[in-house]
Amino acid sequence: MKKTEKKPLSWVKLDNAAKIYPAVRRRNWSNVFRQSVTLKDDIDKEVLSSALDVVVKRFPTIAARLRKGAFWFYLQEIDSPPEIMEEFSYPLTFMSNSEMRKCAFRVIVYKNRIAVEFFHSLTDGTGALVFIKNLVAEYLEQKYHIVIPFEDGIVDRREPPRREEMEDSFLKYAGEVPLSRKDTNAWHLSGEPESNGYLNLTCFKFPVGQVISKAHEHNATLTTYLGAIMMKALENLQIEKVPSSKKQKPVKLLIPVNLRKLYPSESLRNFAMYTIPEIDPRHGEHTLDEIIKVIYHKMGAEFTSKHMAGVICANVKDEKNIFLRVVPLPIKNAVMKAVFDRVGEVKSCLNLSNMGDVKLPDIMKKYVTRMDFILGVQAAAPYNCGVLSYDGTVYLNFIRNICEPDLERHFYNVLKEQGIDVVLQSNRK
């Protein structure tokens, strides 16, 4: 009797945004982020493993390994789901090359929490949210024998992946004229590094209704309002650390924007860009309303389909460069790393990435008590910040790799000045 031949594993090129991430990795830094869901009951690992086996087949560009070619890295679907892992002492531990060659994401369980950590070449926050929503939906259906409707990002896990979900939308929506990427450097926070790569996680919890009401008092959206509070906290911290205004530098916040809101893309790969509002403390201390106006006008001017098409065009133009395409991968990586160090994260103090108000089908809400989005720290800066709202609560997660919680302290003070009721949680012992 003949052995059944295994179907060849499919592969895809990295999308335009994903190409930079393998090149700029450091020995102690990998661009990994986390989506997590907390349930009412403790997790049954055997059922979760069965659910994962179903879901990885549905999302082959996310459930993938990172492979190295002669000229570019690429993604290859995994032939079996990874083992479910137990929680580490802190989130987002370094993801090694050997780990990514096997599987570029992790599924981690701690009591009643399911977390998935993704290497950023796989997807962005939106695609990752779809993946974990469907993993949890499959788990709940198998565990509790319920039926969850296909809505709010829940899809039929038994159907084959759709072509639209796997497209590189950057190539599809690039404009004809590239925009300049010139920008000034930002002030960077500093402090005593934590030993052994430890990452401090501090979650600020506050009521959605209250913070939206406060935002509306300032004629701002939730993202603009929280961004202004963050920039005000950064300005206050710089004034504290650098009293001489002549020595101060611009305070700049990187705010990612989901391009699916501008273009009719259904891609589950990376499809986000960013805007970087800035204030300059050398001109005098800013009020919160002044910062809100800066962010509002910056986002209003740049978050348009025409502007973003030009930004995308600049990135795609590099990818299509004939010389760059034929250069061997090691040289290409060295060039991309040098460019990233010169014009990448040095242009902002940190990211503030807001996933917005996360919706789930009503039947899932009976089981899901909380959701979180956690970014890894930047390569050249000790902080980052991920935000989402779920079931009436905003979960804003600071992560840092230095000992001093100075930014959290200033952020808390600005929130209290605004009259916002905030609860703090930390993984610090």
Side-chain angles (χ1 to χ4, degrees):
M1 186 176 178
K2 281 188 176 182
K3 284 187 179 178
T4 304
E5 290 188 12
K6 284 190 176 180
K7 175 182 150 225
L9 298 174
S10 64
W11 65 276
V12 293
K13 296 178 182 179
L14 296 185
D15 63 67
N16 180 259
K19 285 182 167 65
I20 190 70
Y21 300 129
V24 301
R25 296 175 66 251
R26 273 61 165 178
R27 184 168 300 214
N28 60 350
W29 176 79
S30 56
N31 199 333
V32 179
F33 66 95
R34 170 184 285 210
Q35 296 277 12
S36 67
V37 175
T38 304
L39 303 181
K40 289 184 178 178
D41 300 324
D42 283 354
I43 306 303
D44 184 325
K45 287 179 64 176
E46 187 175 334
V47 176
L48 181 60
S49 182
S50 174
L52 183 61
D53 188 43
V54 173
V55 172
V56 295
K57 296 179 179 68
R58 178 61 180 78
F59 302 105
T61 59
I62 298 177
R65 70 187 90 201
L66 183 70
R67 308 293 286 178
K68 183 187 290 187
F71 300 104
W72 293 106
F73 286 93
Y74 62 94
L75 296 178
Q76 183 182 49
E77 69 172 319
I78 54 176
D79 51 4
S80 61
E83 294 291 325
I84 307 294
M85 306 173 74
E86 296 290 339
E87 184 65 277
F88 302 99
S89 57
Y90 57 91
L92 303 172
T93 58
F94 179 70
M95 191 176 283
S96 68
N97 286 330
S98 60
E99 187 177 355
M100 280 196 274
R101 281 194 294 267
K102 296 175 184 174
C103 184
F105 74 101
R106 305 169 174 141
V107 179
I108 302 169
V109 166
Y110 177 71
K111 295 182 179 178
N112 58 334
R113 183 177 66 216
I114 301 169
V116 186
E117 295 184 348
F118 304 85
F119 180 53
H120 214 327
S121 286
L122 297 177
T123 186
D124 58 16
T126 300
L129 189 59
V130 170
F131 184 90
I132 196 170
K133 278 185 177 184
N134 281 277
L135 176 59
V136 173
E138 183 65 31
Y139 171 83
L140 293 175
E141 287 197 345
Q142 291 191 24
K143 174 71 174 176
Y144 299 104
H145 308 292
I146 59 176
V147 176
I148 298 173
F150 303 142
E151 60 188 30
D152 297 320
I154 306 302
V155 301
D156 185 347
R157 274 88 58 197
R158 273 71 183 175
E159 73 173 9
R162 298 170 57 238
R163 186 169 54 185
E164 295 85 355
E165 298 170 351
M166 299 188 288
E167 76 174 16
D168 182 351
S169 290
F170 288 109
L171 300 181
K172 185 174 182 178
Y173 295 107
E176 297 296 326
V177 181
L179 292 180
S180 171
R181 289 178 291 206
K182 289 182 180 179
D183 207 347
T184 57
N185 291 351
W187 176 61
H188 270 186
L189 295 85
S190 60
E192 180 184 350
E194 285 283 6
S195 59
N196 301 318
Y198 187 84
L199 295 175
N200 294 285
L201 180 64
T202 306
C203 181
F204 286 67
K205 295 169 53 181
F206 36 86
V208 170
Q210 185 184 46
V211 74
I212 287 179
S213 177
K214 290 289 183 180
H216 288 172
E217 289 177 14
H218 295 269
N219 297 313
T221 64
L222 179 63
T223 298
T224 299
Y225 182 63
L226 291 178
I229 290 175
M230 182 68 75
M231 292 181 76
K232 181 60 181 170
L234 285 162
E235 181 183 56
N236 292 347
L237 177 55
Q238 183 174 195
I239 290 170
E240 176 182 283
K241 288 183 172 288
V242 188
S244 171
S245 62
K246 293 181 180 179
K247 296 180 180 179
Q248 292 169 359
K249 292 184 178 180
V251 169
K252 305 174 70 173
L253 189 65
L254 190 151
I255 302 177
V257 290
N258 182 3
L259 294 178
R260 299 168 186 83
K261 295 181 179 179
L262 288 180
Y263 305 99
S265 169
E266 298 179 46
S267 177
L268 296 180
R269 304 175 73 187
N270 287 287
F271 196 47
M273 292 300 294
Y274 53 83
T275 184
I276 309 179
E278 71 173 280
I279 56 173
D280 194 337
R282 292 173 296 184
H283 301 315
E285 190 173 348
H286 294 75
T287 66
L288 191 68
D289 280 319
E290 287 174 331
I291 301 173
I292 285 172
K293 288 179 182 177
V294 168
I295 298 175
Y296 172 81
H297 290 292
K298 180 75 170 178
M299 293 188 73
E302 294 188 354
F303 192 39
T304 68
S305 58
K306 291 181 175 61
H307 179 88
M308 285 299 170
V311 176
I312 295 169
C313 179
N315 295 339
V316 170
K317 183 180 177 183
D318 291 342
E319 179 183 337
K320 291 183 176 180
N321 182 287
I322 293 295
F323 173 74
L324 188 60
R325 289 173 68 178
V326 299
V327 167
L329 186 59
I331 299 174
K332 198 175 291 173
N333 284 347
V335 171
M336 288 194 288
K337 184 176 182 297
V339 172
F340 179 82
D341 290 342
R342 185 168 55 87
V343 300
E345 292 177 340
V346 295
K347 303 304 179 185
S348 63
C349 302
L350 75 158
N351 291 3
L352 178 72
S353 184
N354 183 13
M355 293 299 303
D357 189 18
V358 179
K359 303 293 186 184
L360 293 175
D362 288 341
I363 193 168
M364 287 183 70
K365 292 180 185 176
K366 300 175 183 178
Y367 302 91
V368 176
T369 62
R370 172 173 175 166
M371 300 183 72
D372 287 271
F373 174 47
I374 304 172
L375 294 175
V377 294
Q378 294 183 329
Y383 271 96
N384 249 346
C385 187
V387 188
L388 64 71
S389 305
Y390 173 71
D391 197 25
T393 300
V394 177
Y395 297 95
L396 185 147
N397 283 287
F398 275 98
I399 196 161
R400 74 174 193 279
N401 61 9
I402 55 176
C403 299
E404 303 87 349
D406 293 335
L407 180 56
E408 292 95 322
R409 172 169 52 85
H410 280 282
F411 188 81
Y412 177 84
N413 289 340
V414 179
L415 282 175
K416 296 307 288 184
E417 288 170 7
Q418 287 290 298
I420 294 174
D421 301 321
V422 59
V423 175
L424 298 183
Q425 296 175 324
S426 174
N427 69 336
R428 190 71 188 182
K429 294 179 181 178

